[in-house]
Amino acid sequence: MQLNLKRPICFFDLETTGINITKDRIVEISILKVFPNGTEESKTWLVNPEMVIPDEVVAIHGVSNERVANEPTFKVLAKDIYNMIKDSDLGGFNSNRFDIPLLAEEMLRAGIDFDMKSTLAVDVQTIFHKMEQRTLSAAYKFYCDESLENAHSAEADTKATYEVLKAQLDRYDDLENDTKFLAEFSSRKKFADFAGFIAYNKEGVECFSFGKHKGKLVTEVLEKEPGYFGWLLNADFPLYTKKVLTAIKLRSFNNKLG
């Protein structure tokens, strides 16, 4: 089954120096852009992370320090990557919890005003776990009846993710071939910042999902405890989380003026 798209969707996968969204960096990114007419465009970049890739991480994805030593940094590549994805929705495997938040960090560090407000995100892993409870390699074998060669290679994982989603649409009648439906189906809980620090409550209003103010409305906390906003901006939170908090604060301020 081919995807029923209203606008392009970019399936992407990152290989990184680790799993800390705020501290780790991208070493390889692969993007497969699928257009509504079915045509595809793909691109893979190796990235100099400007930090040492630990041996145990190299053992997983095979991208060594020597291999990326002379590659461009993300800041150099950021504009080209952004131009490829800016008009598209995003798809990936565990992308809502890891790849998108980390990509947002890299974009913001590079000075690009990356924003997910008008972008739908389809997480193929969430669909898979809701339906079958397995891994990407198992998903590829289960849905496509093929073995995933070069697992943990960004390009191979990206292609497999795209093929798995198409096979999922073929297999499950209750999955709609619609990006908005798939994005909603593949989200575990609605978060304003993807990293999971700011969630939406039942009324669709932003609230904190951690710490002493867990469950409280962001606007109310920032109004009653203005120093908390400054602490959040200076603490070790993702840049995208800080961007969302700042937008909420500005919106609240503008509403008062209005």
mmCIF file of all heavy atoms in Angstrom, residues 85-126:
data_model
loop_
_atom_site.group_PDB
_atom_site.id
_atom_site.type_symbol
_atom_site.label_atom_id
_atom_site.label_comp_id
_atom_site.label_asym_id
_atom_site.label_seq_id
_atom_site.Cartn_x
_atom_site.Cartn_y
_atom_site.Cartn_z
ATOM 1 N N ILE A 85 13.520 19.118 4.992
ATOM 2 C CA ILE A 85 12.407 18.661 5.821
ATOM 3 C C ILE A 85 11.378 19.743 6.157
ATOM 4 O O ILE A 85 10.297 19.428 6.658
ATOM 5 C CB ILE A 85 12.926 18.065 7.152
ATOM 6 C CG1 ILE A 85 13.553 19.157 8.032
ATOM 7 C CG2 ILE A 85 13.879 16.921 6.899
ATOM 8 C CD1 ILE A 85 13.963 18.674 9.410
ATOM 9 N N LYS A 86 11.663 21.003 5.854
ATOM 10 C CA LYS A 86 10.843 22.101 6.379
ATOM 11 C C LYS A 86 9.398 22.099 5.886
ATOM 12 O O LYS A 86 8.502 22.588 6.570
ATOM 13 C CB LYS A 86 11.492 23.450 6.074
ATOM 14 C CG LYS A 86 11.554 23.806 4.601
ATOM 15 C CD LYS A 86 12.252 25.149 4.402
ATOM 16 C CE LYS A 86 12.323 25.518 2.924
ATOM 17 N NZ LYS A 86 13.019 26.799 2.725
ATOM 18 N N ASP A 87 9.139 21.541 4.712
ATOM 19 C CA ASP A 87 7.775 21.536 4.171
ATOM 20 C C ASP A 87 7.085 20.195 4.392
ATOM 21 O O ASP A 87 6.055 19.917 3.783
ATOM 22 C CB ASP A 87 7.809 21.843 2.670
ATOM 23 C CG ASP A 87 8.585 20.790 1.883
ATOM 24 O OD1 ASP A 87 9.399 20.052 2.496
ATOM 25 O OD2 ASP A 87 8.377 20.684 0.657
ATOM 26 N N SER A 88 7.655 19.354 5.271
ATOM 27 C CA SER A 88 7.203 17.969 5.380
ATOM 28 C C SER A 88 6.773 17.603 6.789
ATOM 29 O O SER A 88 7.140 18.254 7.768
ATOM 30 C CB SER A 88 8.346 17.017 4.978
ATOM 31 O OG SER A 88 8.892 17.364 3.729
ATOM 32 N N ASP A 89 5.996 16.520 6.866
ATOM 33 C CA ASP A 89 5.772 15.856 8.138
ATOM 34 C C ASP A 89 6.969 14.929 8.373
ATOM 35 O O ASP A 89 7.796 14.723 7.472
ATOM 36 C CB ASP A 89 4.457 15.080 8.106
ATOM 37 C CG ASP A 89 3.252 16.018 7.999
ATOM 38 O OD1 ASP A 89 3.261 17.057 8.688
ATOM 39 O OD2 ASP A 89 2.326 15.714 7.226
ATOM 40 N N LEU A 90 7.065 14.368 9.575
ATOM 41 C CA LEU A 90 8.223 13.541 9.913
ATOM 42 C C LEU A 90 7.791 12.133 10.320
ATOM 43 O O LEU A 90 6.743 11.951 10.945
ATOM 44 C CB LEU A 90 9.020 14.174 11.060
ATOM 45 C CG LEU A 90 9.678 15.522 10.767
ATOM 46 C CD1 LEU A 90 10.373 16.063 12.021
ATOM 47 C CD2 LEU A 90 10.688 15.406 9.625
ATOM 48 N N GLY A 91 8.599 11.157 9.955
ATOM 49 C CA GLY A 91 8.341 9.772 10.340
ATOM 50 C C GLY A 91 9.624 9.108 10.780
ATOM 51 O O GLY A 91 10.703 9.417 10.270
ATOM 52 N N GLY A 92 9.522 8.207 11.745
ATOM 53 C CA GLY A 92 10.713 7.505 12.216
ATOM 54 C C GLY A 92 10.346 6.357 13.119
ATOM 55 O O GLY A 92 9.171 6.034 13.307
ATOM 56 N N PHE A 93 11.364 5.738 13.680
ATOM 57 C CA PHE A 93 11.191 4.597 14.580
ATOM 58 C C PHE A 93 11.699 5.025 15.950
ATOM 59 O O PHE A 93 12.887 5.233 16.136
ATOM 60 C CB PHE A 93 11.983 3.387 14.051
ATOM 61 C CG PHE A 93 11.528 2.067 14.615
ATOM 62 C CD1 PHE A 93 10.460 1.395 14.044
ATOM 63 C CD2 PHE A 93 12.172 1.499 15.705
ATOM 64 C CE1 PHE A 93 10.041 0.167 14.549
ATOM 65 C CE2 PHE A 93 11.765 0.281 16.213
ATOM 66 C CZ PHE A 93 10.696 -0.393 15.639
ATOM 67 N N ASN A 94 10.798 5.224 16.898
ATOM 68 C CA ASN A 94 11.094 5.822 18.210
ATOM 69 C C ASN A 94 11.468 7.290 18.051
ATOM 70 O O ASN A 94 12.156 7.869 18.886
ATOM 71 C CB ASN A 94 12.217 5.071 18.932
ATOM 72 C CG ASN A 94 12.322 5.448 20.407
ATOM 73 O OD1 ASN A 94 11.322 5.739 21.062
ATOM 74 N ND2 ASN A 94 13.529 5.470 20.929
ATOM 75 N N SER A 95 10.985 7.903 16.983
ATOM 76 C CA SER A 95 11.373 9.275 16.645
ATOM 77 C C SER A 95 10.744 10.319 17.567
ATOM 78 O O SER A 95 11.357 11.358 17.832
ATOM 79 C CB SER A 95 10.995 9.581 15.193
ATOM 80 O OG SER A 95 9.676 9.172 14.913
ATOM 81 N N ASN A 96 9.537 10.057 18.066
ATOM 82 C CA ASN A 96 8.902 11.055 18.931
ATOM 83 C C ASN A 96 9.654 11.234 20.239
ATOM 84 O O ASN A 96 9.682 12.329 20.801
ATOM 85 C CB ASN A 96 7.449 10.655 19.224
ATOM 86 C CG ASN A 96 6.530 10.943 18.055
ATOM 87 O OD1 ASN A 96 6.971 11.393 17.003
ATOM 88 N ND2 ASN A 96 5.249 10.677 18.228
ATOM 89 N N ARG A 97 10.259 10.170 20.736
ATOM 90 C CA ARG A 97 10.922 10.242 22.039
ATOM 91 C C ARG A 97 12.415 10.511 21.944
ATOM 92 O O ARG A 97 13.025 10.924 22.921
ATOM 93 C CB ARG A 97 10.685 8.950 22.823
ATOM 94 C CG ARG A 97 9.244 8.779 23.265
ATOM 95 C CD ARG A 97 9.088 7.676 24.277
ATOM 96 N NE ARG A 97 9.406 6.378 23.687
ATOM 97 C CZ ARG A 97 9.438 5.244 24.375
ATOM 98 N NH1 ARG A 97 9.189 5.247 25.666
ATOM 99 N NH2 ARG A 97 9.707 4.106 23.762
ATOM 100 N N PHE A 98 13.011 10.270 20.764
ATOM 101 C CA PHE A 98 14.459 10.451 20.676
ATOM 102 C C PHE A 98 14.896 11.276 19.473
ATOM 103 O O PHE A 98 15.485 12.345 19.623
ATOM 104 C CB PHE A 98 15.172 9.098 20.659
ATOM 105 C CG PHE A 98 16.668 9.224 20.583
ATOM 106 C CD1 PHE A 98 17.401 9.670 21.679
ATOM 107 C CD2 PHE A 98 17.356 8.925 19.406
ATOM 108 C CE1 PHE A 98 18.782 9.819 21.617
ATOM 109 C CE2 PHE A 98 18.728 9.072 19.331
ATOM 110 C CZ PHE A 98 19.449 9.513 20.434
ATOM 111 N N ASP A 99 14.634 10.805 18.261
ATOM 112 C CA ASP A 99 15.203 11.442 17.067
ATOM 113 C C ASP A 99 14.731 12.882 16.873
ATOM 114 O O ASP A 99 15.540 13.768 16.577
ATOM 115 C CB ASP A 99 14.869 10.615 15.813
ATOM 116 C CG ASP A 99 15.455 9.214 15.876
ATOM 117 O OD1 ASP A 99 14.843 8.349 16.529
ATOM 118 O OD2 ASP A 99 16.525 8.999 15.309
ATOM 119 N N ILE A 100 13.429 13.129 17.044
ATOM 120 C CA ILE A 100 12.925 14.486 16.845
ATOM 121 C C ILE A 100 13.452 15.445 17.922
ATOM 122 O O ILE A 100 13.934 16.531 17.587
ATOM 123 C CB ILE A 100 11.388 14.509 16.767
ATOM 124 C CG1 ILE A 100 10.931 13.865 15.456
ATOM 125 C CG2 ILE A 100 10.853 15.934 16.866
ATOM 126 C CD1 ILE A 100 9.434 13.733 15.306
ATOM 127 N N PRO A 101 13.382 15.091 19.225
ATOM 128 C CA PRO A 101 13.956 16.003 20.227
ATOM 129 C C PRO A 101 15.440 16.286 20.013
ATOM 130 O O PRO A 101 15.878 17.434 20.153
ATOM 131 C CB PRO A 101 13.736 15.254 21.548
ATOM 132 C CG PRO A 101 12.574 14.370 21.297
ATOM 133 C CD PRO A 101 12.688 13.962 19.857
ATOM 134 N N LEU A 102 16.219 15.261 19.621
ATOM 135 C CA LEU A 102 17.648 15.489 19.422
ATOM 136 C C LEU A 102 17.906 16.320 18.164
ATOM 137 O O LEU A 102 18.773 17.203 18.163
ATOM 138 C CB LEU A 102 18.399 14.158 19.355
ATOM 139 C CG LEU A 102 19.902 14.254 19.658
ATOM 140 C CD1 LEU A 102 20.393 12.975 20.335
ATOM 141 C CD2 LEU A 102 20.713 14.501 18.412
ATOM 142 N N LEU A 103 17.129 16.076 17.114
ATOM 143 C CA LEU A 103 17.264 16.879 15.899
ATOM 144 C C LEU A 103 16.920 18.342 16.193
ATOM 145 O O LEU A 103 17.593 19.256 15.711
ATOM 146 C CB LEU A 103 16.349 16.336 14.799
ATOM 147 C CG LEU A 103 16.357 17.112 13.474
ATOM 148 C CD1 LEU A 103 17.734 17.066 12.822
ATOM 149 C CD2 LEU A 103 15.294 16.566 12.521
ATOM 150 N N ALA A 104 15.883 18.553 17.007
ATOM 151 C CA ALA A 104 15.497 19.913 17.375
ATOM 152 C C ALA A 104 16.631 20.616 18.122
ATOM 153 O O ALA A 104 16.919 21.800 17.877
ATOM 154 C CB ALA A 104 14.239 19.886 18.241
ATOM 155 N N GLU A 105 17.306 19.886 19.016
ATOM 156 C CA GLU A 105 18.434 20.463 19.749
ATOM 157 C C GLU A 105 19.538 20.908 18.803
ATOM 158 O O GLU A 105 20.070 22.014 18.909
ATOM 159 C CB GLU A 105 19.000 19.436 20.740
ATOM 160 C CG GLU A 105 18.104 19.132 21.916
ATOM 161 C CD GLU A 105 17.787 20.371 22.727
ATOM 162 O OE1 GLU A 105 18.670 20.872 23.449
ATOM 163 O OE2 GLU A 105 16.642 20.854 22.624
ATOM 164 N N GLU A 106 19.877 20.030 17.860
ATOM 165 C CA GLU A 106 20.944 20.344 16.910
ATOM 166 C C GLU A 106 20.563 21.551 16.051
ATOM 167 O O GLU A 106 21.393 22.425 15.786
ATOM 168 C CB GLU A 106 21.236 19.129 16.030
ATOM 169 C CG GLU A 106 21.885 17.945 16.749
ATOM 170 C CD GLU A 106 23.392 18.093 16.893
ATOM 171 O OE1 GLU A 106 23.887 19.233 17.087
ATOM 172 O OE2 GLU A 106 24.087 17.058 16.809
ATOM 173 N N MET A 107 19.312 21.607 15.611
ATOM 174 C CA MET A 107 18.855 22.724 14.779
ATOM 175 C C MET A 107 18.927 24.045 15.547
ATOM 176 O O MET A 107 19.414 25.056 15.030
ATOM 177 C CB MET A 107 17.422 22.477 14.305
ATOM 178 C CG MET A 107 17.288 21.425 13.218
ATOM 179 S SD MET A 107 17.975 22.005 11.634
ATOM 180 C CE MET A 107 17.574 20.594 10.593
ATOM 181 N N LEU A 108 18.438 24.036 16.767
ATOM 182 C CA LEU A 108 18.437 25.262 17.562
ATOM 183 C C LEU A 108 19.857 25.702 17.904
ATOM 184 O O LEU A 108 20.162 26.891 17.913
ATOM 185 C CB LEU A 108 17.611 25.060 18.834
ATOM 186 C CG LEU A 108 16.105 24.886 18.590
ATOM 187 C CD1 LEU A 108 15.395 24.473 19.870
ATOM 188 C CD2 LEU A 108 15.490 26.169 18.045
ATOM 189 N N ARG A 109 20.747 24.734 18.168
ATOM 190 C CA ARG A 109 22.156 25.078 18.426
ATOM 191 C C ARG A 109 22.789 25.704 17.192
ATOM 192 O O ARG A 109 23.684 26.539 17.295
ATOM 193 C CB ARG A 109 22.948 23.823 18.828
ATOM 194 C CG ARG A 109 22.982 23.551 20.320
ATOM 195 C CD ARG A 109 24.026 22.517 20.672
ATOM 196 N NE ARG A 109 23.717 21.226 20.119
ATOM 197 C CZ ARG A 109 23.037 20.266 20.755
ATOM 198 N NH1 ARG A 109 22.597 20.473 21.984
ATOM 199 N NH2 ARG A 109 22.797 19.110 20.185
ATOM 200 N N ALA A 110 22.310 25.291 16.013
ATOM 201 C CA ALA A 110 22.857 25.809 14.760
ATOM 202 C C ALA A 110 22.204 27.134 14.360
ATOM 203 O O ALA A 110 22.520 27.686 13.307
ATOM 204 C CB ALA A 110 22.663 24.783 13.648
ATOM 205 N N GLY A 111 21.295 27.627 15.189
ATOM 206 C CA GLY A 111 20.677 28.924 14.920
ATOM 207 C C GLY A 111 19.468 28.870 14.007
ATOM 208 O O GLY A 111 19.019 29.901 13.491
ATOM 209 N N ILE A 112 18.919 27.672 13.797
ATOM 210 C CA ILE A 112 17.732 27.538 12.945
ATOM 211 C C ILE A 112 16.490 27.432 13.828
ATOM 212 O O ILE A 112 16.444 26.630 14.762
ATOM 213 C CB ILE A 112 17.849 26.302 12.031
ATOM 214 C CG1 ILE A 112 18.936 26.557 10.982
ATOM 215 C CG2 ILE A 112 16.519 25.980 11.359
ATOM 216 C CD1 ILE A 112 19.184 25.431 10.036
ATOM 217 N N ASP A 113 15.490 28.234 13.539
ATOM 218 C CA ASP A 113 14.286 28.304 14.363
ATOM 219 C C ASP A 113 13.378 27.116 14.063
ATOM 220 O O ASP A 113 12.327 27.243 13.441
ATOM 221 C CB ASP A 113 13.559 29.629 14.103
ATOM 222 C CG ASP A 113 12.421 29.852 15.079
ATOM 223 O OD1 ASP A 113 12.445 29.245 16.171
ATOM 224 O OD2 ASP A 113 11.505 30.633 14.756
ATOM 225 N N PHE A 114 13.792 25.963 14.511
ATOM 226 C CA PHE A 114 13.077 24.711 14.273
ATOM 227 C C PHE A 114 11.811 24.672 15.126
ATOM 228 O O PHE A 114 11.855 24.892 16.324
ATOM 229 C CB PHE A 114 13.994 23.538 14.641
ATOM 230 C CG PHE A 114 13.436 22.184 14.315
ATOM 231 C CD1 PHE A 114 13.489 21.693 13.029
ATOM 232 C CD2 PHE A 114 12.864 21.391 15.303
ATOM 233 C CE1 PHE A 114 12.987 20.434 12.726
ATOM 234 C CE2 PHE A 114 12.355 20.141 15.013
ATOM 235 C CZ PHE A 114 12.420 19.657 13.717
ATOM 236 N N ASP A 115 10.677 24.392 14.487
ATOM 237 C CA ASP A 115 9.411 24.379 15.211
ATOM 238 C C ASP A 115 8.538 23.241 14.704
ATOM 239 O O ASP A 115 8.466 22.997 13.500
ATOM 240 C CB ASP A 115 8.686 25.716 15.019
ATOM 241 C CG ASP A 115 7.708 26.001 16.134
ATOM 242 O OD1 ASP A 115 6.886 25.115 16.420
ATOM 243 O OD2 ASP A 115 7.764 27.101 16.719
ATOM 244 N N MET A 116 7.888 22.522 15.628
ATOM 245 C CA MET A 116 7.068 21.372 15.255
ATOM 246 C C MET A 116 5.569 21.672 15.284
ATOM 247 O O MET A 116 4.760 20.771 15.141
ATOM 248 C CB MET A 116 7.358 20.217 16.223
ATOM 249 C CG MET A 116 8.710 19.566 16.043
ATOM 250 S SD MET A 116 8.842 18.609 14.509
ATOM 251 C CE MET A 116 7.601 17.336 14.777
ATOM 252 N N LYS A 117 5.191 22.946 15.449
ATOM 253 C CA LYS A 117 3.773 23.272 15.617
ATOM 254 C C LYS A 117 2.904 22.817 14.453
ATOM 255 O O LYS A 117 1.799 22.341 14.646
ATOM 256 C CB LYS A 117 3.624 24.787 15.789
ATOM 257 C CG LYS A 117 3.787 25.245 17.222
ATOM 258 C CD LYS A 117 3.417 26.702 17.366
ATOM 259 C CE LYS A 117 4.439 27.395 18.231
ATOM 260 N NZ LYS A 117 4.409 28.838 18.055
ATOM 261 N N SER A 118 3.382 22.976 13.245
ATOM 262 C CA SER A 118 2.567 22.617 12.070
ATOM 263 C C SER A 118 3.021 21.311 11.427
ATOM 264 O O SER A 118 2.629 20.990 10.307
ATOM 265 C CB SER A 118 2.635 23.749 11.038
ATOM 266 O OG SER A 118 3.972 23.964 10.634
ATOM 267 N N THR A 119 3.840 20.548 12.145
ATOM 268 C CA THR A 119 4.381 19.301 11.599
ATOM 269 C C THR A 119 3.770 18.097 12.294
ATOM 270 O O THR A 119 3.736 18.034 13.521
ATOM 271 C CB THR A 119 5.915 19.252 11.774
ATOM 272 O OG1 THR A 119 6.500 20.385 11.143
ATOM 273 C CG2 THR A 119 6.498 17.981 11.169
ATOM 274 N N LEU A 120 3.279 17.142 11.520
ATOM 275 C CA LEU A 120 2.785 15.887 12.080
ATOM 276 C C LEU A 120 3.955 14.918 12.220
ATOM 277 O O LEU A 120 4.881 14.934 11.417
ATOM 278 C CB LEU A 120 1.709 15.282 11.175
ATOM 279 C CG LEU A 120 0.442 16.123 10.987
ATOM 280 C CD1 LEU A 120 -0.452 15.489 9.923
ATOM 281 C CD2 LEU A 120 -0.295 16.272 12.302
ATOM 282 N N ALA A 121 3.904 14.083 13.251
ATOM 283 C CA ALA A 121 4.997 13.137 13.499
ATOM 284 C C ALA A 121 4.426 11.732 13.623
ATOM 285 O O ALA A 121 3.625 11.454 14.513
ATOM 286 C CB ALA A 121 5.754 13.521 14.768
ATOM 287 N N VAL A 122 4.847 10.845 12.732
ATOM 288 C CA VAL A 122 4.397 9.452 12.742
ATOM 289 C C VAL A 122 5.523 8.586 13.304
ATOM 290 O O VAL A 122 6.600 8.492 12.714
ATOM 291 C CB VAL A 122 4.029 8.969 11.320
ATOM 292 C CG1 VAL A 122 3.604 7.503 11.353
ATOM 293 C CG2 VAL A 122 2.930 9.838 10.725
ATOM 294 N N ASP A 123 5.272 7.973 14.463
ATOM 295 C CA ASP A 123 6.273 7.108 15.086
ATOM 296 C C ASP A 123 5.902 5.657 14.805
ATOM 297 O O ASP A 123 4.978 5.100 15.401
ATOM 298 C CB ASP A 123 6.347 7.368 16.593
ATOM 299 C CG ASP A 123 7.571 6.734 17.239
ATOM 300 O OD1 ASP A 123 8.011 5.681 16.742
ATOM 301 O OD2 ASP A 123 8.087 7.282 18.221
ATOM 302 N N VAL A 124 6.632 5.044 13.879
ATOM 303 C CA VAL A 124 6.334 3.683 13.438
ATOM 304 C C VAL A 124 6.549 2.677 14.571
ATOM 305 O O VAL A 124 5.860 1.661 14.656
ATOM 306 C CB VAL A 124 7.201 3.325 12.208
ATOM 307 C CG1 VAL A 124 6.981 1.884 11.780
ATOM 308 C CG2 VAL A 124 6.856 4.262 11.052
ATOM 309 N N GLN A 125 7.477 2.979 15.480
ATOM 310 C CA GLN A 125 7.699 2.077 16.610
ATOM 311 C C GLN A 125 6.469 1.992 17.504
ATOM 312 O O GLN A 125 6.095 0.914 17.972
ATOM 313 C CB GLN A 125 8.898 2.531 17.455
ATOM 314 C CG GLN A 125 9.241 1.526 18.555
ATOM 315 C CD GLN A 125 10.184 2.089 19.598
ATOM 316 O OE1 GLN A 125 9.876 3.071 20.268
ATOM 317 N NE2 GLN A 125 11.349 1.486 19.734
ATOM 318 N N THR A 126 5.822 3.126 17.730
ATOM 319 C CA THR A 126 4.635 3.128 18.588
ATOM 320 C C THR A 126 3.511 2.319 17.959
ATOM 321 O O THR A 126 2.833 1.542 18.640
ATOM 322 C CB THR A 126 4.162 4.570 18.845
ATOM 323 O OG1 THR A 126 5.237 5.306 19.424
ATOM 324 C CG2 THR A 126 2.980 4.594 19.798
#
